[in-house]
Amino acid sequence: GKLNYFLSKKDKTEILLLGDSRIEYGIIPDSLGENVFNLAHHGKLLDFQSCVLEILHSKNKLPKKIILAVDPYQFLASTEYPNFNSSFTLRQYYDSQSLVRKYITDIEDQYIGLKWSSYLYRYNSSIPTLLINVYKTKKGISIKNNGFDYIEKNENDSIRVNFAVKEKTARISNYSNEITTSKIKILETILIECSKNKVDLVLIIPP
């Protein structure tokens, strides 16, 4: 996938974009200069981004600057997704990265010991999917435009936008005014990691 491709890149990245689909589809790396890469992933929250940061540090792949998208609603308690955790997709790093292990442990059930005793559980996917991802990573086929992905224009765009706005508005009622301290701590982890490694961190709120 995109993360493996980035880790295999030989050239140095000056600016790295992190966030969800609004960054993945919304910011063109070339518009910010040279050596910029869009490492945003669809549907991923701060726990995922902090794990990516830890992985990049361990692989000596930290950039000079990170632009990180932060959605204020991530910090509010939600009745819809009370324990939502997006770092599980990084489970192949369960043994080597402490944050991945911590966040996955927080959401796993009483059978966690039994599940993780199997090494294959870290790569729990269909064999064809695994083979395709390995092939794409090696060939760089799926990674173009420095990680930027875009959605082709079509006649239903205005309908899709209106639907997305209505859906987002309806989902706001699922959030309370209560701040989730665990999410604040994740952001603090990111701030500390960047400061410690002299990485300039820019926080933005995507539309």
Side-chain angles (χ1 to χ4, degrees):
K2 190 188 280 192
L3 177 58
N4 289 335
Y5 173 83
F6 181 78
L7 293 174
S8 69
K9 271 168 48 58
K10 292 190 168 61
D11 53 321
K12 184 73 173 175
T13 298
E14 299 289 324
I15 302 175
L16 188 67
L17 301 167
L18 294 177
D20 58 15
S21 58
R22 288 169 293 178
I23 302 301
E24 184 177 16
Y25 303 126
I27 298 182
I28 303 172
D30 294 348
S31 67
L32 299 175
E34 296 181 356
N35 300 320
V36 182
F37 193 86
N38 190 329
L39 195 56
H41 287 76
H42 177 77
K44 302 307 183 211
L45 305 179
L46 280 179
D47 60 296
F48 179 91
Q49 315 304 344
S50 64
C51 289
V52 167
L53 194 59
E54 182 185 44
I55 293 166
L56 296 181
H57 181 211
S58 70
K59 304 292 185 181
N60 196 29
K61 297 290 288 186
L62 286 173
K64 289 184 178 179
K65 178 182 288 187
I66 289 176
I67 298 177
L68 172 66
V70 178
D71 190 332
Y73 286 106
Q74 287 190 41
F75 302 106
L76 299 179
S78 167
T79 56
E80 185 177 12
Y81 302 113
N83 298 308
F84 188 68
N85 183 315
S86 60
S87 54
F88 190 75
T89 52
L90 295 170
R91 58 191 179 275
Q92 65 267 34
Y93 294 99
Y94 181 85
D95 295 309
S96 61
Q97 305 298 330
S98 60
L99 282 181
V100 175
R101 189 161 54 251
K102 178 187 181 308
Y103 296 148
I104 287 178
T105 302
D106 286 345
I107 60 168
E108 276 283 18
D109 55 30
Q110 67 268 31
Y111 301 108
I112 182 171
L114 181 61
K115 290 177 180 177
W116 291 97
S117 64
S118 168
Y119 190 72
L120 290 178
Y121 186 66
R122 294 149 178 77
Y123 300 90
N124 188 16
S125 185
S126 67
I127 292 177
T129 299
L130 290 173
L131 293 176
I132 289 170
N133 284 338
V134 169
Y135 176 74
K136 285 184 175 181
T137 298
K138 286 185 176 179
K139 295 292 185 181
I141 291 173
S142 62
I143 312 300
K144 300 176 182 178
N145 305 315
N146 290 322
F148 171 68
D149 201 355
Y150 63 92
I151 300 174
E152 292 284 353
K153 214 165 98 175
N154 74 54
E155 58 187 15
N156 296 319
D157 280 350
S158 59
I159 297 173
R160 289 166 56 192
V161 169
N162 286 331
F163 176 78
V165 170
K166 287 179 182 178
E167 184 184 47
K168 182 75 173 178
T169 303
R171 289 175 64 186
I172 288 177
S173 61
N174 294 315
Y175 293 89
S176 72
N177 292 323
E178 179 186 347
I179 299 292
T180 306
T181 55
S182 60
K183 300 294 174 61
I184 296 293
K185 287 180 181 177
I186 292 174
L187 180 59
E188 288 175 350
T189 299
I190 293 173
L191 293 170
I192 292 170
E193 187 70 18
C194 287
S195 175
K196 189 169 60 177
N197 292 286
K198 296 181 172 50
V199 175
D200 292 334
L201 179 64
V202 178
L203 302 180
I204 63 172
I205 299 177

